[in-house]
Amino acid sequence: MFRCGIAYPRCRWIVPLLLLFAIIFDIIAIAAKSGWVEDEDAKTHYANMWQQCRGRNDNWECKTLMDFSWAKAVAALMILGLIILIVAFIISCVALCCTLNLTLLPFIGVLLIVVVIFQIIALIIYPVKFNEEIFEGHYYYTWAYGFGWGATILSIGCAVLFCCLPRYEDELTGLAKTKYIYSSA
């Protein structure tokens, strides 16, 4: 796959592991109680994917964001992306770890591209609509929102790998002849 050398049989374990990390990152982003948006000082206003809270010290008033159609769309796209990501992980474990079924790899790549499309749309809609409808000052998009982008970036990388790996069937199975760059005269 790469000229500098990669141990192809390790890809059988590393790529599903990367998908597992993407699943964990998605769950963190979806389930976070805070961390999608915070005001400048992080003391009077914060929001996650599900609700926004305003207040000071221990007096917080939280309102659901699910009253907004854009927030419902963001939640639906993120959850659908997570479900498809879990399905892709299960199929990748079957295709790479249990048996070597290279015909499933492009299908997994397509599933991951769908995940990426869903999550990019959700992660772009959220700040645009938040800034249009709720914005009241200077905000930072923080750690949980970053985990959403992290899951998306891992999914992009895994999609590329799943689309490229079928070309290297012999290397994955360990049947390829070793190629040496240097040969002595």
Side-chain angles (χ1 to χ4, degrees), residues 68-145:
F68 299 105
S69 59
W70 59 267
K72 290 178 185 174
V74 168
L77 288 170
M78 289 296 288
I79 290 172
L80 278 173
L82 176 62
I83 291 169
I84 296 170
L85 189 59
I86 291 170
V87 169
F89 170 72
I90 292 169
I91 295 172
S92 75
C93 285
V94 169
L96 290 174
C97 300
C98 299
T99 61
L100 188 60
N101 187 350
L102 296 177
T103 58
L104 289 176
L105 298 184
F107 175 68
I108 298 168
V110 169
L111 285 178
L112 292 175
I113 290 169
V114 171
V115 168
V116 168
I117 291 170
F118 283 176
Q119 290 188 346
I120 285 177
I121 291 171
L123 292 169
I124 289 174
I125 288 174
Y126 188 87
V128 169
K129 297 309 274 182
F130 187 89
N131 287 342
E132 280 180 10
E133 298 187 20
I134 302 173
F135 184 76
E136 293 179 355
H138 189 71
Y139 290 96
Y140 295 110
Y141 291 89
T142 58
W143 62 272
Y145 184 72

Side-chain angles (χ1 to χ4, degrees), residues 1-6 8 179 181:
M1 185 185 314
F2 301 109
R3 284 282 189 223
C4 60
I6 185 168
Y8 292 94
K179 297 176 186 175
I181 297 173

Side-chain angles (χ1 to χ4, degrees), residues 11 15 30-31 33 59 70 79 81 96 98 107 125 128 160 162 168 171-172 181:
C11 287
V15 178
I30 291 171
K33 296 288 183 186
N59 300 326
W70 59 267
I79 290 172
L96 290 174
C98 299
F107 175 68
I125 288 174
V128 169
V160 169
F162 277 112
Y168 300 94
E171 286 86 353
L172 283 170
I181 297 173

Side-chain angles (χ1 to χ4, degrees), residues 17-52:
L17 184 64
L18 290 174
L19 284 180
L20 181 62
F21 281 123
I23 290 170
I24 292 168
F25 286 3
D26 251 354
I27 290 171
I28 290 171
I30 291 171
K33 296 288 183 186
S34 67
W36 275 56
V37 178
E38 293 178 350
D39 65 346
E40 191 171 13
D41 300 326
K43 295 181 180 176
T44 60
H45 189 202
Y46 69 89
N48 59 25
M49 194 171 79
W50 306 101
Q51 66 183 359
Q52 63 171 329

